[in-house]
Amino acid sequence: MEESKHELIETDSAQPRTSRPLLVVVSAPSGCGKSTLCDRLVDEFPKITYSVSCTTRPPRSGEEDGVQYFFLSKKEFKERSKNGEFLEWAKVHGNFYGTLEDTVLFAMEEGNHVLLDIDVQGAKQLRERLAHMDPRHPIRRGFTDIFISPPSMEELERRLRGRGTDEDKVIRRRLDNAAGEMAYAKEYTFQIVNDDLEKAYHELKTVILSAMGLA
Ligand code: ADP
Ligand code: 5GP
């Protein structure tokens, strides 16, 4: 039986249940299962939406510009960074990735809860920026952060290889970076181990629903 979809903001078209859109940062070492978990969340809750980031990495097979990412040249990325358009940006696994502030604010103004799938450096940058923002700023008011860990490095490697999207050199680089990324886990308000997928998804859902005051 298909699971029912949930409206998290509107109980009816006029009365919002919560007036505070969330900005949820989710970070994890690559291959951990973050997309699997977050895609399911976005699918179940139509009011939760991804912020589409910019990247200089080439598209993977099946990826489309403006859907998974905005694929930019390095020159374009640098220009946008110089213009102060990014809420945060970082060099991850040899490529640049960044979140456009306008993308996030627009989605929040539309009444959506926004998921930021960003790396540990970007999350750190964002927390530092928040500290200087007005406490009433929607980004600061809605902020929460979650770190997802793999059950072990061996399992992480199995998942990266099993996914079959990256060549060996790329997988090795991602595994090399994973240990360093795990050291940042303690900076996040919530930490979830993605061992059993159902259990991890339940934990993720509970964190989000309670941030909304619904659990
Ligand atoms: P990420 O977005 O963190 O890079 P993915 O969501 O693409 O990772 O997951 C990497 C691979 O691991 C995929 O093939 C996915 O199906 C698998 N996977 C995700 N979660 C689990 C889990 N709990 N147990 C086993 N395999 C998993
Ligand atoms: P992938 O190349 O597998 O899509 O993503 C690699 C890594 O880049 C992931 O850890 C992902 O969270 C991170 N990432 C994606 N978009 C952004 C972004 O806008 N900013 C930052 N800092 N990291 C990002």
Side-chain angles (χ1 to χ4, degrees):
M1 194 168 66
E2 199 185 303
E3 246 182 324
S4 65
K5 303 230 174 200
H6 300 263
E7 281 285 328
L8 291 174
I9 290 200
E10 293 166 7
T11 47
D12 62 52
S13 57
Q15 290 298 319
R17 257 174 103 173
T18 167
S19 57
R20 187 171 59 101
L22 299 178
L23 180 64
V24 185
V25 165
V26 186
S27 305
S30 182
C32 196
K34 179 178 54 177
S35 311
T36 306
L37 289 164
C38 292
D39 286 353
R40 193 165 156 187
L41 196 69
V42 167
D43 198 39
E44 187 176 351
F45 300 102
K47 281 285 179 188
I48 303 180
T49 173
Y50 278 115
S51 163
V52 179
S53 295
C54 298
T55 183
T56 61
R57 92 154 154 69
R60 292 180 183 135
S61 137
E63 286 185 332
E64 279 176 56
D65 190 44
V67 179
Q68 289 79 12
Y69 286 103
F70 296 110
F71 295 97
L72 305 184
S73 66
K74 274 192 186 148
K75 184 167 173 280
E76 212 177 333
F77 193 98
K78 279 184 184 159
E79 269 166 20
R80 287 182 158 227
S81 167
K82 219 164 76 184
N83 293 340
E85 293 179 45
F86 290 120
L87 189 57
E88 62 73 38
W89 66 269
K91 192 173 186 184
V92 190
H93 313 309
N95 295 298
F96 292 99
Y97 294 82
T99 307
L100 293 170
E101 186 162 359
D102 278 356
T103 304
V104 170
L105 286 175
F106 181 74
M108 291 176 89
E109 276 160 18
E110 293 275 288
N112 295 300
H113 301 288
V114 180
L115 269 190
L116 284 193
D117 167 352
I118 63 175
D119 88 308
V120 293
Q121 306 166 74
K124 196 179 179 71
Q125 237 180 77
L126 194 48
R127 280 187 218 103
E128 283 162 8
R129 275 193 78 168
L130 288 183
H132 300 287
M133 282 179 185
D134 186 312
R136 289 162 302 177
H137 193 291
I139 289 180
R140 182 160 168 181
R141 288 184 68 214
F143 184 84
T144 191
D145 55 353
I146 305 167
F147 190 89
I148 301 171
S149 309
S152 67
M153 287 301 174
E154 292 73 26
E155 175 61 17
L156 182 65
E157 180 165 0
R158 252 193 304 278
R159 288 183 193 173
L160 273 172
R161 296 198 183 282
R163 185 168 66 178
T165 50
D166 300 294
E167 57 189 56
D168 189 58
K169 198 175 76 184
V170 173
I171 290 179
R172 280 176 199 284
R173 184 166 200 168
R174 287 176 183 234
L175 283 170
D176 281 348
N177 290 342
E181 289 166 337
M182 296 286 290
Y184 286 83
K186 58 183 180 303
E187 296 184 8
Y188 289 70
T189 312
F190 300 99
Q191 290 146 32
I192 295 173
V193 178
N194 181 19
D195 188 355
D196 176 75
L197 187 60
E198 291 310 312
K199 184 166 172 282
Y201 183 64
H202 178 73
E203 287 175 24
L204 177 64
K205 218 160 101 168
T206 304
V207 165
I208 306 270
L209 291 176
S210 58
M212 290 165 177
L214 300 177

